[in-house]
Amino acid sequence: MILIQTFQKFFYQFLMLYRPFENRLNILLGEHGLYRAQWTVLYYLANFGPSTPVELANYQSVEKPTMTRTIHRLKELEYLETIPTKDKREKKMQLTALGKKVYEDVRVSIDEFEQDILEGISEEEQLKAIQIMKAIQQNILK
Amino acid sequence: MILIQTFQKFFYQFLMLYRPFENRLNILLGEHGLYRAQWTVLYYLANFGPSTPVELANYQSVEKPTMTRTIHRLKELEYLETIPTKDKREKKMQLTALGKKVYEDVRVSIDEFEQDILEGISEEEQLKAIQIMKAIQQNILK
DNA sequence: TGAATTAGTTACCGAAGCTAACTATTTTTC
DNA sequence: GAAAAATAGTTAGCTTCGGTAACTAATTCA
């Protein structure tokens, strides 16, 4: 008789939630010509202000070349622009006016989607879950 | 003044946890010559018993061709075998003895990893989080 | 029994990870 | 202050793992 342990179930459920979430997210973003990786960059810049590729890459746990590519696509779309800094190696990025507008537009659809699938989960529960996920993330990164 | 709403934070944190988790998982699995997609199939068969590719694909929210490929790789490794059924279209899969052994071996490493990164999260909190993730998954799939 | 459905496959494409190796700056060290 | 080390970013090339379209073989339905 095999007993599935709680911690095993936890991560299995985590993976099982990720796939359908990303699927629906990509369909939604696709309507605006965007993908998940691009969206997370827009989100970061909109909420945390101008950043360099290295900051973005570290924050999102991807390698620099991955971030370079994502940023170049967003630049082609003219959603991002570089702002000069003292350090000439750095390329600090910020949203253009167009980028901000697109972010706000997409935000409306995503809000609707996210609120919809959080149906039945109280704000208190959401906050608790955020706290747990943050703690795990920190355990992984430390 | 912009206020980030709780539901936005929830999914942002969800995505932020996924990347480093998958990174570490893939490194761990890599030591055993496996990848995430393969691992989730082994997990399913070990815990839920023999299944068809369609069952696996539906359960994991991927398309049939994606599952075909993952299964073929696991078959090349001789971790899976087909068991005959009445319906000759079906290819019901189960773990071979080798597959079971590999699953158990990898399970030990993964257990250690998962318990490690759940440090500080009580079982009660884990159960609550599982329940929340399941509810969201069902909201997405319905 | 003929039509529709279902299981599985093949071929092909794309997003988004990765490493290795490079250039151009900046910082550190002696 | 010059040489060495470190850091930011890029390019090239690879892999995993998603997807769709189109197909065959078997089963179910009308």
Side-chain angles (χ1 to χ4, degrees):
Chain A
M1 172 58 190
I2 292 167
L3 182 74
I4 305 183
Q5 308 237 18
T6 303
F7 64 86
Q8 293 179 5
K9 268 195 209 147
F10 180 90
F11 288 106
Y12 185 69
Q13 184 58 53
F14 181 72
L15 288 173
M16 287 300 96
L17 174 54
Y18 184 79
R19 287 282 322 131
F21 174 73
E22 194 186 30
N23 270 349
R24 286 278 306 270
L25 183 66
N26 269 331
I27 290 168
L28 228 155
L29 291 173
E31 290 165 11
H32 297 87
L34 286 172
Y35 294 93
R36 178 190 46 76
Q38 298 167 1
W39 172 248
T40 56
V41 169
L42 296 185
Y43 181 97
Y44 189 88
L45 295 177
N47 289 287
F48 300 99
S51 334
T52 64
V54 163
E55 264 175 80
L56 283 160
N58 287 341
Y59 203 82
Q60 309 206 352
S61 296
V62 299
E63 296 300 320
K64 287 188 298 176
T66 303
M67 191 50 72
T68 297
R69 183 177 45 201
T70 303
I71 285 172
H72 283 185
R73 285 178 185 167
L74 288 169
K75 264 191 182 165
E76 278 170 32
L77 294 167
E78 301 188 350
Y79 296 168
L80 298 190
E81 64 194 357
T82 307
I83 49 178
T85 56
K86 273 181 235 164
D87 190 332
K88 281 173 199 158
R89 292 169 305 177
E90 280 188 347
K91 292 196 178 171
K92 199 155 212 163
M93 314 297 313
Q94 69 181 4
L95 295 180
T96 59
L98 177 60
K100 274 178 200 158
K101 193 190 168 323
V102 168
Y103 176 76
E104 293 303 332
D105 282 356
V106 180
R107 190 70 256 173
V108 173
S109 318
I110 304 266
D111 279 358
E112 202 183 330
F113 164 57
E114 289 182 347
Q115 283 179 295
D116 192 42
I117 65 175
L118 278 175
E119 169 100 30
I121 319 290
S122 71
E123 182 160 12
E124 203 184 325
E125 290 173 311
Q126 291 174 36
L127 288 167
K128 186 71 192 154
I130 291 169
Q131 188 195 310
I132 291 172
M133 291 189 288
K134 195 170 272 173
I136 298 171
Q137 191 194 353
Q138 276 161 7
N139 282 343
I140 297 177
L141 296 176
K142 86 175 177 216
Chain B
M1 172 59 191
I2 293 168
L3 182 75
I4 305 184
Q5 308 238 18
T6 303
F7 63 85
Q8 292 179 7
K9 267 196 210 147
F10 180 90
F11 289 106
Y12 184 69
Q13 184 58 54
F14 181 72
L15 288 175
M16 287 300 95
L17 174 54
Y18 184 80
R19 287 281 323 130
F21 173 73
E22 193 186 31
N23 270 350
R24 286 278 305 270
L25 184 67
N26 269 332
I27 290 168
L28 229 155
L29 291 173
E31 290 166 10
H32 297 87
L34 286 172
Y35 293 94
R36 178 190 44 77
Q38 297 168 359
W39 172 249
T40 57
V41 169
L42 295 184
Y43 182 96
Y44 189 89
L45 294 178
N47 289 286
F48 301 99
S51 335
T52 64
V54 164
E55 263 175 81
L56 284 160
N58 287 339
Y59 204 81
Q60 309 205 350
S61 297
V62 298
E63 297 299 321
K64 288 187 298 176
T66 303
M67 191 50 72
T68 297
R69 182 178 46 203
T70 303
I71 284 171
H72 282 185
R73 284 178 186 166
L74 289 169
K75 263 190 181 166
E76 277 169 32
L77 295 167
E78 301 189 350
Y79 296 168
L80 297 190
E81 63 194 357
T82 307
I83 50 178
T85 57
K86 272 181 234 161
D87 189 333
K88 281 174 197 158
R89 292 171 305 178
E90 282 189 345
K91 290 194 177 172
K92 198 155 214 163
M93 314 295 313
Q94 69 181 4
L95 295 179
T96 59
L98 177 61
K100 274 178 199 159
K101 193 190 168 324
V102 168
Y103 176 76
E104 293 304 332
D105 283 357
V106 180
R107 191 71 256 174
V108 173
S109 318
I110 304 265
D111 278 359
E112 203 183 330
F113 165 58
E114 289 182 347
Q115 283 178 295
D116 193 42
I117 64 175
L118 279 175
E119 169 101 30
I121 319 288
S122 70
E123 182 160 12
E124 202 184 326
E125 289 174 311
Q126 292 173 36
L127 288 168
K128 186 71 191 156
I130 291 169
Q131 187 195 311
I132 291 171
M133 291 189 288
K134 196 170 273 174
I136 298 171
Q137 191 194 351
Q138 277 161 7
N139 282 343
I140 297 177
L141 296 176
K142 87 176 175 212

